Amino acid sequence: SRRAQTAASSAAVKRFAEQMITAHSGTSQKLKSTVAGLSPALTPNDALNAEQQALLAGLQGKTGADFDTAYA
């Protein structure tokens, strides 16, 4: 979603990306706060899985309308 802020050409795609960033940042922070209080403490894994890595790779090198179509 951060890449969409610079690679997208559509204002709607950029707004959607901003909403995704806000939502995911909030839920990630809540998750980290919740698991930190557990015993034993848990650490969420921030790494992308193979499917997520493939989706991200499909966006690399795309800009403008091509990016908008792939992202949406």
Side-chain angles (χ1 to χ4, degrees), residues 22-66:
T22 300
H24 288 161
S25 295
T27 55
S28 292
Q29 188 58 38
K30 287 178 187 176
L31 176 62
K32 287 177 182 179
S33 294
T34 300
V35 300
L38 297 177
S39 182
L42 300 174
T43 303
N45 184 353
D46 291 336
L48 300 176
N49 64 33
E51 181 181 357
Q52 293 165 327
Q53 289 175 352
L55 289 171
L56 185 59
L59 294 173
Q60 298 300 325
K62 292 185 183 336
T63 58
D66 288 340

